[in-house]
Amino acid sequence: MKKLALTLMTLALALSAFAQSPEEIVSKMDERMSSFDPEKDGFGMVMEMKMPILGSFAAQVLSRGDKTRMEMHKGDNHNISWSDEVTEWDYDVTKNEIEIKNVDKKKDEDKKKEGDVEMFKGITEGYKVSLVKETEKYWYLKCKKSKSNTDKDDPKTMNLVVEKGTFNPKSLSTKMRGVTVTMRDLIYGVSEEQVTFNPAKYPGAKIIDKR
């Protein structure tokens, strides 16, 4: 019995050596994000918003270089848009119509920011991070705003999920002014084809050219 107890104690000590503190998890996540080049390799994520009156909607944003693709669902509405430096294609799946127009520079910049990997870099600065729970695959972290953080735009709390092994962020969610925002299912590596509009894929769609 003593030998068994000693073996279990030794195993527990060995396992504890592999334990990660919240600070170590976040630090390694930041290293992972810094080693990735979204401009060269492409990047994507799903963004969800839940609002008290308007309800909820989800959008997948993919970007590579100067090209962006966004697919959004809101109730019965389903839209897909593509853009490069010059042109934007907006496909209303419900109506089967494609509207082509010149890029609105301000709108295009905002869209790219929504799917930007930079959003996850240094995300916990100004926050005290604690480990809420962990499973076989993920760490679940709670980020509480520090008293020294005087930025009014920063939310009071954020929930961060990090994948074990890769240290990739799985999701980040927060609530501000009654609106819940979640960024999840990050994609590392997006092809040129995924972000390029191809009219051959929509042969029966009505084209409305507003350029």
Side-chain angles (χ1 to χ4, degrees):
M1 184 64 71
K2 288 183 178 179
K3 187 175 182 180
L4 177 59
L6 182 61
T7 301
L8 291 174
M9 186 179 294
T10 303
L11 180 60
L13 289 172
L15 289 173
S16 67
F18 292 98
Q20 303 283 335
S21 70
E23 292 76 16
E24 288 172 330
I25 294 170
V26 171
S27 176
K28 290 181 179 180
M29 183 191 77
D30 285 341
E31 288 179 12
R32 167 70 178 111
M33 304 308 288
S34 297
S35 66
F36 180 73
D37 186 351
E39 289 293 315
K40 178 182 177 181
D41 303 316
F43 178 74
M45 71 171 75
V46 172
M47 297 190 69
E48 292 181 344
M49 292 186 70
K50 294 181 180 180
M51 294 166 280
I53 300 176
L54 299 176
S56 62
F57 72 88
Q60 184 190 55
V61 184
L62 304 177
S63 65
R64 181 185 175 94
D66 294 315
K67 293 184 177 181
T68 302
R69 178 188 187 275
M70 179 184 290
E71 183 167 3
M72 184 172 69
H73 294 266
K74 177 67 172 71
D76 295 331
N77 296 322
H78 181 189
N79 290 80
I80 307 173
S81 65
W82 300 259
S83 65
D84 56 24
E85 287 185 292
V86 179
T87 309
E88 179 178 343
W89 299 261
D90 189 5
Y91 177 40
D92 188 323
V93 180
T94 308
K95 296 180 180 179
N96 198 27
E97 292 180 351
I98 299 172
E99 185 177 286
I100 307 173
K101 55 189 176 183
N102 294 324
V103 165
D104 181 329
K105 295 295 183 181
K106 178 62 170 62
K107 180 181 177 182
D108 192 50
E109 287 175 5
D110 291 341
K111 187 186 296 183
K112 288 179 179 178
K113 286 178 182 178
E114 288 177 348
D116 199 337
V117 69
E118 295 289 338
M119 296 174 70
F120 281 87
K121 293 181 181 179
I123 193 68
T124 59
E125 291 179 8
Y127 287 84
K128 181 175 177 58
V129 184
S130 59
L131 181 63
V132 177
K133 71 172 184 177
E134 62 177 292
T135 63
E136 185 179 348
K137 292 184 176 181
Y138 303 108
W139 287 292
Y140 293 79
L141 304 165
K142 189 176 186 67
C143 310
K144 187 175 181 181
K145 191 175 181 179
S146 303
K147 291 182 179 179
S148 58
N149 186 351
T150 58
D151 192 333
K152 295 181 179 179
D153 292 329
D154 285 348
K156 292 182 178 179
T157 60
M158 299 186 296
N159 296 309
L160 175 65
V161 181
V162 181
E163 185 178 40
K164 290 183 175 180
T166 64
F167 290 93
N168 289 331
K170 175 65 177 177
S171 70
L172 178 70
S173 61
T174 188
K175 189 172 183 179
M176 295 182 68
R177 300 182 181 88
V179 179
T180 301
V181 180
T182 300
M183 294 172 282
R184 60 173 174 82
D185 300 337
L186 279 70
I187 300 171
Y188 300 91
V190 172
S191 68
E192 189 77 13
E193 182 181 2
Q194 286 178 282
V195 292
T196 302
F197 174 69
N198 182 358
K201 291 185 177 181
Y202 311 95
K206 179 181 178 181
I207 304 295
I208 303 172
D209 198 333
K210 292 188 175 181
R211 291 173 293 181

